[in-house]
Amino acid sequence: FTQEVMGGITKWTQRLTEIPQIQQFLTRGFKLANTAQKGPVVFNILTTMLMQPIPAWVRQAEYIPAWRGTKTTERIAGGGNPDDIAEAVKRLYAVDKPFLIIGDDPCWDKAGEELEELVTLAKIPFTTRRLGRGVVNERHPYCTRGLPSFRKEIELMIPVGLKVGFFDGFGAGWPETIQIAASEALIWTHLPTSVALVGSTKVIARQMIDYIKANNLTPSAGRDEWIKRIQDNEVASAKKRSDRALKYKDMPRYKKMIHHGYLSKAITDFLEERYQSRNRVVLDGFSISGYIMPYFTAVRPAQILTASEQAGIGHGIGMSIGAAIGDLEANPADRTPVVAMMGDAGMGVDGMNVEVAARYKLPIVYIVTNNNGWLTGMKYRYYGEKWNNYGDQDNMGAAWLGNVIEAGPEKVDAVRWDQVFAPFGTYGETISSHDEILPALERCFDAAEKGQPAILNCMVDKTICNPAMDTPLYSISFAHIPFDEISEQGKAARIKFWGKSPYMSGLAKEEPRELKDVWDPIED
């Protein structure tokens, strides 16, 4: 049943039944997996084959070792149509306000050098997404975190190997677009496209650079003003991010728990000072993901690793192990620790594989934002403090088979994840105040550098949610809760986002309520 089970999530799934198939099919499988758009390939090899002796006369059908000679291990890289290259460059130089977004393809294509030269030569402000973060060092003067607040003024959008999907609003409202991708699968029909370039993003960027130089092109007169405006906006945004986190630094509340926003700044400041922000980071925890991403500065390719649009939980354990092994094999002398940003839910899903990290003495620090369960902040913003609307079987204080449910859908209070894995040989600490963060980070990273994976168990504010929870999409996800039963914050969000025609027009008669900043704790 391998093909039936795996066929929908792989590029190719095949059952192998004969020994002469193996080498040829594996060769084809590796080639397909590494062809844009990259993806997994699965082979089901019968156990009986593995127990069979291989007769000397057996020929591996259609198999040629090193079939491309010395270039067998290199990707096949083609470029864009020369006429389309010329048209794309002409459009780029005809506008004052272009904007470029680096996605996954340039990471796989190793296109950093060419893209850095292109954005510098043509004076294109840019941002980076997913694996694209760090393809061009984010300290580049034209780099900005995300789209600028005045994004509607962008005249030409240039996504490079980017999946323009849910988390990019499917490009709704984008202006004229030049699409560049390694595969037609990443050329999107929902974007107003003047030019589509398909090929290696490395080769296409070089073609564009060569065309610019050959024709002695210079950016438009308004380009410098556009760059300056982007830069000023980024400076202001960086200050705003810093100030927002520091707002919570000395609050008395955070002498006994930790705020996600301040923790985000403290971690990234520490990584900058100690490692110049070179650490690979695996993002897993849902709540912390809504805070920490803008604080990171990516300085090398594939530095920020996520589950992309899959929004998985628990993947951070295995991904961090893979990243650490890859880095050590590439450079055994560089023991810069990998950082896995975990939630306690993710630790519960796949935490036992921390044993692998301990067995191989991998330099990994697992930073666990522990809020005692899955999205516990939802009870304050939507369900009620005792999970009143979660269902009678899960209300705090409800009885089940004579047992009183003391935590509702939450976990046992304050699980010591640092102690859970100590028998494997990990280092660990639990902290519950802002004052403890920096010293604990120092000790955990000291241990990881010496080959002892570390678990930093951070007891965070349970009333804090991922900021996405106060958006129209998440608000409508709680529409099953009757208005008169939902929490006050849930009422405020529903009125704000949906209390008008043609949606929930019946809410128009309700008095507006204050929707608290999702960063602010709920103390009542």
Side-chain angles (χ1 to χ4, degrees):
F1 302 101
T2 304
Q3 287 168 289
E4 289 81 359
V5 173
M6 305 299 293
I9 57 173
T10 62
K11 294 182 73 173
W12 182 29
T13 299
Q14 181 65 48
R15 189 182 192 212
L16 304 185
T17 58
E18 302 293 337
I19 290 176
Q21 294 176 308
I22 294 176
Q23 289 182 329
Q24 167 63 8
F25 274 67
L26 289 178
T27 299
R28 290 166 59 189
F30 279 107
K31 175 178 174 291
L32 181 60
N34 281 288
T35 299
Q37 185 177 12
K38 286 178 177 283
V41 169
V42 170
F43 290 122
N44 178 16
I45 301 177
L46 299 185
T47 305
T48 54
M49 291 172 56
L50 300 178
M51 294 186 288
Q52 294 175 15
I54 304 177
W57 55 265
V58 167
R59 173 178 174 269
Q60 291 290 327
E62 301 177 6
Y63 171 66
I64 301 175
W67 65 279
R68 290 179 63 213
T70 58
K71 294 188 176 182
T72 298
T73 59
E74 297 180 14
R75 292 186 65 190
I76 299 172
N81 182 303
D83 291 339
D84 290 338
I85 293 289
E87 184 178 354
V89 173
K90 288 174 184 177
R91 290 302 306 142
L92 170 61
Y93 274 73
V95 301
D96 290 332
K97 301 175 181 178
F99 196 85
L100 185 142
I101 308 176
I102 299 175
D104 291 353
D105 281 354
C107 180
W108 296 116
D109 293 342
K110 299 181 180 179
E113 180 181 341
E114 289 76 15
L115 283 174
E116 181 174 4
E117 184 175 355
L118 177 63
V119 297
T120 304
L121 179 66
K123 296 185 177 179
I124 313 170
F126 68 97
T127 192
T128 56
R129 300 282 280 118
R130 305 185 186 108
L131 281 181
R133 293 201 62 175
V135 167
V136 176
N137 191 319
E138 292 180 355
R139 301 191 202 280
H140 191 286
Y142 298 164
C143 183
T144 185
R145 299 285 198 280
L147 297 177
S149 57
F150 41 89
R151 65 191 66 182
K152 291 184 179 179
E153 296 182 29
I154 296 172
E155 297 172 327
L156 180 67
M157 194 73 79
I158 311 171
V160 183
L162 176 70
K163 183 176 182 180
V164 186
F166 173 80
F167 289 109
D168 299 283
F170 297 99
W174 279 17
E176 174 191 352
T177 302
I178 293 175
Q179 296 195 58
I180 303 173
S183 165
E184 284 192 43
L186 286 176
I187 297 294
W188 308 105
T189 57
H190 51 265
L191 300 176
T193 304
S194 56
V195 185
L197 298 168
V198 177
S200 162
T201 56
K202 180 185 183 75
V203 174
I204 289 173
R206 176 54 58 194
Q207 287 177 294
M208 295 177 72
I209 292 166
D210 290 345
Y211 186 91
I212 292 167
K213 291 181 176 179
N215 291 275
N216 295 315
L217 300 180
T218 56
S220 66
R223 193 66 60 83
D224 287 339
E225 181 182 346
W226 175 237
I227 287 286
K228 179 66 164 55
R229 192 167 176 211
I230 293 284
Q231 292 171 331
D232 290 346
N233 182 75
E234 178 56 29
V235 170
S237 297
K239 184 179 187 307
K240 184 178 179 180
R241 285 193 295 270
S242 177
D243 291 347
R244 194 173 194 187
L246 291 174
K247 169 185 174 182
Y248 304 94
K249 179 178 185 296
D250 297 318
M251 281 188 178
R253 178 183 184 88
Y254 297 114
K255 296 294 183 182
K256 56 184 179 181
M257 65 186 77
I258 294 170
H259 189 281
H260 297 73
Y262 180 72
L263 178 65
S264 297
K265 177 171 170 52
I267 291 169
T268 52
D269 284 353
F270 169 82
L271 296 179
E272 170 64 21
E273 181 175 346
R274 180 158 171 163
Y275 300 103
Q276 295 75 54
S277 296
R278 286 187 48 79
N279 308 73
R280 293 203 197 278
V281 178
V282 182
L283 196 64
D284 188 311
F286 175 71
S287 295
I288 192 64
S289 71
Y291 293 87
I292 200 166
M293 287 295 272
Y295 290 90
F296 283 120
T297 299
V299 299
R300 56 176 174 155
Q303 187 174 341
I304 310 296
L305 305 172
T306 73
S308 188
E309 293 194 321
Q310 309 311 314
I313 293 293
H315 58 273
I317 303 294
M319 287 178 71
S320 59
I321 290 170
I325 289 173
D327 278 347
L328 286 174
E329 289 189 346
N331 183 3
D334 184 0
R335 301 193 63 83
T336 301
V338 174
V339 182
M341 296 302 308
M342 304 295 300
D344 53 322
M347 296 301 286
V349 169
D350 196 42
M352 284 299 135
N353 278 315
V354 167
E355 183 272 336
V356 177
R359 191 189 332 158
Y360 288 94
K361 303 185 186 310
L362 299 178
I364 304 173
V365 177
Y366 295 97
I367 300 178
V368 185
T369 47
N370 189 340
N371 59 3
N372 293 344
W374 294 70
L375 300 173
T376 50
M378 288 194 306
K379 72 177 182 179
Y380 300 95
R381 302 196 83 81
Y382 290 101
Y383 283 107
E385 191 173 355
K386 296 184 180 296
W387 298 97
N388 312 55
N389 301 299
Y390 207 71
D392 294 342
Q393 75 283 356
D394 284 321
N395 290 170
M396 293 174 66
W400 178 74
L401 297 181
N403 299 310
V404 176
I405 300 173
E406 298 181 355
E410 298 173 55
K411 290 185 174 67
V412 176
D413 192 51
V415 173
R416 289 291 302 271
W417 293 104
D418 55 318
Q419 294 181 354
V420 169
F421 304 109
F424 296 148
T426 59
Y427 177 81
E429 296 189 29
T430 286
I431 59 174
S432 56
S433 74
H434 287 176
D435 294 338
E436 297 175 286
I437 296 173
L438 184 57
L441 287 172
E442 293 280 4
R443 292 187 291 269
C444 285
F445 279 83
D446 284 345
E449 287 182 13
K450 296 172 184 175
Q452 187 179 22
I455 314 292
L456 182 55
N457 188 39
C458 304
M459 303 309 302
V460 294
D461 192 333
K462 294 191 294 183
T463 73
I464 299 295
C465 287
N466 185 306
M469 300 301 287
D470 275 359
T471 60
L473 178 64
Y474 278 90
S475 175
I476 199 66
S477 299
F478 296 96
H480 60 284
I481 304 177
F483 183 79
D484 60 347
E485 296 179 17
I486 200 168
S487 68
E488 283 302 304
Q489 286 301 295
K491 288 184 175 73
R494 192 175 297 178
I495 292 170
K496 176 179 179 179
F497 298 125
W498 299 104
K500 53 191 173 184
S501 180
Y503 306 112
M504 302 180 185
S505 53
L507 296 179
K509 65 180 184 297
E510 294 288 337
E511 288 293 326
R513 290 161 167 81
E514 178 191 4
L515 182 60
K516 295 188 65 166
D517 184 342
V518 72
W519 281 53
D520 287 343
I522 297 175
E523 306 203 37
D524 51 354

